[in-house]
């Protein structure tokens, strides 16, 4: 089997997943985008969180050209990305009870805000506890997860619950358990994960919906322009000045 055919198989698998999301999750995506628009219109702030590779789709909507300037990254030291050494420490921290409470207690999150929590499995203590505690604070929670994990894995939170059980809106990424999309007899493990492709697409679909929902209400969406186009920095400076009290990545 040639490398080209494997590439085609992966791209086809990713496309099939995106089509499933489009066909089965559009209503939930619309609801999530509307919730973010409601939050912006009411003066609330927007946050996104993901641990490990699930942090990539969260980072993809923060300080992003064409994205909402109000989306902030909720940072948990040691778990956002794979730059912590050793990388396995990040995975271990996701399982620590009480970490989410400490993070939320020192974060700017408050009642009336919205938080998107991204976790492929949704089974670890950190995303579960974060969702539970954020909602207790009066924060609206959108969970982006693979619901399939809750049917075939055991929760690692003391409650026995999953991220999906503590969200105002759940977006199912439709990713199979284990994430990888391809398998070969000559390769000892499945490979070619698609969760980042699909989850990033879901996040951008939610952002687009939120922007449109704000515009429908006569509210100019606080969008950023690329700094690599003429006038981009000037535009962004105006937006950041207008919404400076709700943007935390500049401080």
């Amino acid at each position: 089997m040639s490398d080209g055919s494997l590439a085609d198989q992966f791209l086809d698998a990713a496309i099939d997943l995106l089509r499933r999301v489009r066909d089965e999750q559009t209503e939930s995506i619309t609801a999530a985008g509307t919730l973010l628009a409601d939050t912006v219109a009411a003066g609330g702030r927007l946050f996104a969180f993901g641990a490990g590779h699930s942090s990539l789709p969260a980072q993809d909507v923060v300080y992003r050209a064409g994205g909402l300037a109000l989306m902030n990254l909720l940072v948990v030291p040691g778990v956002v990305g794979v730059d912590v050494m050793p990388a396995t420490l990040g995975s271990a921290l996701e399982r620590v009870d009480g970490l989410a409470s400490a993070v939320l207690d020192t974060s700017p999150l408050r009642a009336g805000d919205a938080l998107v929590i991204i976790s492929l499995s949704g089974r670890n203590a950190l995303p579960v506890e974060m969702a539970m505690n954020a909602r207790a604070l009066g924060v609206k929670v959108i969970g982006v997860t693979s619901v399939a994990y809750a049917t075939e894995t055991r929760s690692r939170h003391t409650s026995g619950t999953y991220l999906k059980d503590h969200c105002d809106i759940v977006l199912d990424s439709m990713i199979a358990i284990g994430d990888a999309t391809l398998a070969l007899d000559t390769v000892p493990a499945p490979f070619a994960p698609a969760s980042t492709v699909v989850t990033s697409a879901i996040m951008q679909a939610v952002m687009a919906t939120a922007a449109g929902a704000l515009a429908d209400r006569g509210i100019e969406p606080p969008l950023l322009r690329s700094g690599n186009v003429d006038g981009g920095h000037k535009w962004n400076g105006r937006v950041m000045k207008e919404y400076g009290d709700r943007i935390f990545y500049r401080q």
Side-chain angles (χ1 to χ4, degrees), residues 56-113:
L56 299 178
Q59 294 180 55
D60 193 43
V61 296
V62 176
Y63 188 50
R64 182 62 190 263
L68 292 174
L70 273 61
M71 182 58 75
N72 300 278
L73 189 66
L74 182 62
V75 177
V76 179
V79 305
V80 180
V82 292
D83 57 340
V84 61
M85 295 296 290
T88 51
L89 174 60
S91 298
L93 288 173
E94 288 186 64
R95 305 179 189 182
V96 174
D97 291 324
L99 179 56
S101 297
V103 170
L104 291 178
D105 287 346
T106 57
S107 79
L109 270 171
R110 66 188 185 193
D113 292 344

Side-chain angles (χ1 to χ4, degrees), residues 46 60-71 203-204 207-208 210-211 221-226 235-236 239 249:
L46 310 180
D60 193 43
V61 296
V62 176
Y63 188 50
R64 182 62 190 263
L68 292 174
L70 273 61
M71 182 58 75
M203 291 297 291
Q204 294 299 346
M207 297 299 109
L223 297 169
L224 295 173
R225 290 181 180 269
S226 171
W235 172 281
N236 293 342
V239 173
Y249 49 81

Side-chain angles (χ1 to χ4, degrees), residues 35-36 45-49 72 74 104 109 113-117 130-131 134 139-143:
L35 188 155
L36 295 188
R45 294 87 58 79
L46 310 180
F47 295 85
F49 168 77
N72 300 278
L74 182 62
L104 291 178
L109 270 171
D113 292 344
L115 171 62
V116 182
I117 301 176
M130 185 173 289
V139 174
K140 295 294 186 181
V141 175
I142 298 168

Side-chain angles (χ1 to χ4, degrees), residues 6 78 166 190 204:
L6 284 176
H166 305 284
Q204 294 299 346

